[in-house]
C-alpha cells in the first residue's frame, strides 16, 4: 500500500489499530440534528468518514452519501459496513486529501462531525470548502470535541478546539446563512480502552438559505 502524504500515513496508522466495532455506531449528536433539522433525505457529504458509522446511518435512512477520507483502511471499513447493512448503492467511498482536493458538487447535507486533522491540514480552509459545498436550503453540521480528541486518550494529551462562536467566525459566511444550533454541551465519554473523560462537544449547525 502506498501512502501519498504524511496526513495519509497518520490516519492509516490510526484506523488500522482500531477494532471494527467502532464502525457500527453513528454520532448521536448528528442523528438528533439530522432527524430534527433535515428529516427529508437527499444527498450528503460525510467528511473524514473514519469508521463509517455516520455515513452508514444516513444511508439506512435514505440519504445518498459520499463518504470521504484520506485513509484507504477507513474507506474499506465504510464499504464493508455498507454491505453489511444493505446500503452499498447509497454509500460512495471517495479518497480525498481535503487539504489539497475536495469532492465536487453541492449537497443537501455536509457532515463535518468530529472532523479532526493532523497539524499539516489547514482545518479552517477545509471547513470553508465544506460550507461552499452546501446546496441552497442545505445544512452544514460541525460537531467536535472542545478539549479531548479521540487519539488523546491514547497519547495522554488534551487538544483544544475553538468554541462554536470562533468556528462560525472562521467560516466567513455571508448573509445567505442562518444558524440553526450553536452550543457546547458536556458529556461523559469512554475511550477505546475504557478510559473515562468529560468531553465538551462543540455543535455548530448552519443552513444555507439561498
Amino acid at each position: 500500500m502506498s501512502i501519498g502524504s504524511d496526513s495519509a500515513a497518520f490516519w492509516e496508522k490510526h484506523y488500522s489499530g482500531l477494532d471494527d466495532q467502532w464502525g457500527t455506531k453513528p454520532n448521536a449528536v448528528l442523528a438528533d440534528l439530522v432527524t430534527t433539522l433535515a428529516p427529508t433525505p437527499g444527498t450528503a457529504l460525510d467528511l473524514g468518514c473514519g469508521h463509517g458509522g455516520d455515513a452508514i446511518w444516513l444511508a439506512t435512512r435514505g440519504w445518498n452519501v459520499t463518504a470521504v477520507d484520506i485513509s484507504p483502511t477507513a474507506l474499506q471499513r465504510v464499504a464493508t459496513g455498507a454491505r453489511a447493512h444493505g446500503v452499498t448503492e447509497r454509500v460512495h467511498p471517495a479518497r480525498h486529501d481535503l487539504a489539497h482536493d475536495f469532492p465536487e458538487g453541492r449537497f443537501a447535507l455536509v457532515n463535518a462531525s468530529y472532523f479532526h486533522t493532523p497539524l499539516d491540514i489547514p482545518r479552517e480552509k477545509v471547513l470553508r470548502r465544506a460550507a461552499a459545498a452546501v446546496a441552497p436550503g442545505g445544512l452544514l453540521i460541525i460537531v467536535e470535541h472542545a478539549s479531548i480528541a479521540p487519539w488523546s486518550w491514547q497519547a495522554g494529551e488534551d487538544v483544544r478546539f475553538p468554541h462554536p462562536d470562533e468556528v462560525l467566525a472562521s467560516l466567513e459566511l455571508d448573509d445567505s446563512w442562518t444558524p440553526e444550533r450553536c452550543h457546547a454541551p458536556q458529556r461523559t465519554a469512554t475511550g477505546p480502552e475504557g478510559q473515562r473523560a468529560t468531553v465538551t462537544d462543540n455543535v455548530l449547525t448552519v443552513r444555507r438559505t439561498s
Side-chain angles (χ1 to χ4, degrees), residues 149-161:
W151 59 85
S152 300
W153 282 303
Q154 299 171 358
E157 300 175 356
D158 284 354
V159 178
R160 180 193 177 276
F161 290 97

Side-chain angles (χ1 to χ4, degrees), residues 7-93:
S7 300
F10 177 94
W11 288 113
E12 196 61 23
K13 180 180 178 180
H14 175 70
Y15 290 124
S16 62
L18 296 177
D19 294 333
D20 288 338
Q21 64 181 349
W22 279 67
T24 62
K25 299 178 180 178
N27 168 13
V29 179
L30 172 73
D32 173 63
L33 292 170
V34 171
T35 302
T36 304
L37 301 175
T40 303
T43 57
L45 175 62
D46 186 22
L47 297 179
C49 60
H51 310 89
D54 289 352
I56 293 167
W57 181 86
L58 289 166
T60 60
R61 279 146 184 83
W63 290 83
N64 187 16
V65 187
T66 299
V68 173
D69 208 293
I70 194 174
S71 163
T73 296
L75 296 175
Q76 183 179 22
R77 288 172 185 258
V78 173
T80 299
R83 286 195 298 271
H85 287 79
V87 291
T88 302
E89 74 282 0
R90 289 199 293 272
V91 177
H92 312 284

Side-chain angles (χ1 to χ4, degrees), residues 179-204:
E180 293 279 0
R181 291 194 195 174
C182 301
H183 60 295
Q186 287 190 335
R187 63 184 174 88
T188 300
T190 303
E193 298 179 0
Q195 308 94 319
R196 304 284 286 179
T198 298
V199 176
T200 301
D201 283 327
N202 280 339
V203 178
L204 176 66

Side-chain angles (χ1 to χ4, degrees), residues 121-169:
I121 292 183
R123 185 172 181 281
E124 293 179 354
K125 179 180 178 181
V126 174
L127 291 179
R128 285 194 289 270
R129 289 181 176 181
V134 177
L139 288 177
L140 169 63
I141 297 178
I142 300 171
V143 182
E144 58 187 2
H145 299 314
S147 57
I148 300 177
W151 59 85
S152 300
W153 282 303
Q154 299 171 358
E157 300 175 356
D158 284 354
V159 178
R160 180 193 177 276
F161 290 97
H163 187 271
D165 291 342
E166 297 177 69
V167 178
L168 186 60

